[in-house]
Amino acid sequence: MDKNLYILAELDEDTQIILNNYEKIILANGFIGKQTKDIPYHITLGCYSLENEIYLKDLLDNVGKEFNQINISYNGFGLFGLNVLYLNPTMNLKLIEIYNYFKEKSQNKDNDLSAHTTLFIDEPENIIKILPRFVEISNRINGKIKYISLYEFFPKKLLKRIELNG
């Protein structure tokens, strides 16, 4: 698998705790999944080639000056096929603005926004088994995008993280 850089909109600590409860349900039901572990819950804002690293690090410095924390709420679950179960955020103007900021500034026109926060990646039969357990505990989740990070995958490597203004 080729290495790439990813810009991630990370959620605040309180929202991370709420979403960690879904991870506990996965483990309590004997599943592990194929989702990337040990990274904060997030919304991916873009994927870039490795030669953009210095430019993207500089861009993160600027985004920290131009954007405040973004309120976000999740309004339900979604599926990519039957292999990826995710939380679906309510689209709002600020989320679209920060996404467009990275798309326009990086000149990467191939990035499409399919805003989601992945919870579980696995075989379809496991997704179908876990989904009812998630629905049982689901409430509307309100949080904030507090950080913007630059990661390299795979293997996972945090290159830079900035905190948005409060």
Side-chain angles (χ1 to χ4, degrees):
M1 179 180 285
D2 290 337
K3 286 187 178 188
N4 285 303
L5 302 174
Y6 293 85
I7 298 287
L8 307 182
E10 294 181 23
L11 303 166
D12 64 282
E13 292 83 0
D14 291 340
T15 308
Q16 296 289 338
I17 291 168
I18 293 168
L19 296 181
N20 275 324
N21 288 329
Y22 289 100
E23 188 174 338
K24 290 176 185 174
I25 291 171
I26 292 167
L27 296 173
N29 282 275
F31 301 119
I32 296 172
K34 299 172 188 167
Q35 63 278 7
T36 304
K37 314 251 186 324
D38 300 324
I39 61 169
Y41 287 100
H42 63 275
I43 296 170
T44 302
L45 297 177
C47 173
Y48 308 88
S49 59
L50 293 178
E51 67 262 9
N52 290 298
E53 181 177 343
I54 293 170
Y55 179 74
L56 290 170
K57 284 179 176 178
D58 290 341
L59 203 54
L60 280 186
D61 290 333
N62 291 330
V63 80
K65 297 172 190 167
E66 295 189 33
F67 286 90
N68 294 324
Q69 293 179 19
I70 299 169
N71 291 323
I72 191 121
S73 63
Y74 289 93
N75 57 13
F77 297 97
L79 295 166
F80 291 132
L82 280 176
N83 295 90
V84 179
L85 175 61
Y86 62 88
L87 276 169
N88 189 27
T90 302
M91 290 303 295
N92 65 50
L93 186 57
K94 295 296 182 187
L95 179 58
I96 293 167
E97 286 174 357
I98 201 163
Y99 164 75
N100 282 336
Y101 177 87
F102 283 102
K103 185 170 184 169
E104 292 167 8
K105 297 283 187 181
S106 70
Q107 301 300 310
N108 188 350
K109 304 301 181 200
D110 294 334
N111 281 334
D112 289 327
L113 179 62
S114 182
H116 67 282
T117 298
T118 300
L119 295 173
F120 189 47
I121 300 174
D122 209 332
E123 301 303 317
E125 58 270 13
N126 294 337
I127 298 285
I128 291 168
K129 287 177 186 173
I130 204 74
L131 183 57
R133 287 164 181 79
F134 282 2
V135 171
E136 288 172 0
I137 69 155
S138 83
N139 292 316
R140 187 168 189 88
I141 299 170
N142 295 304
K144 291 182 183 278
I145 294 173
K146 186 173 181 179
Y147 307 97
I148 304 295
S149 299
L150 175 62
Y151 275 86
E152 177 182 296
F153 290 101
F154 287 100
K156 161 195 77 144
K157 181 179 175 185
L158 174 63
L159 301 174
K160 186 168 188 156
R161 175 180 287 134
I162 59 103
E163 184 172 348
L164 298 174
N165 299 317

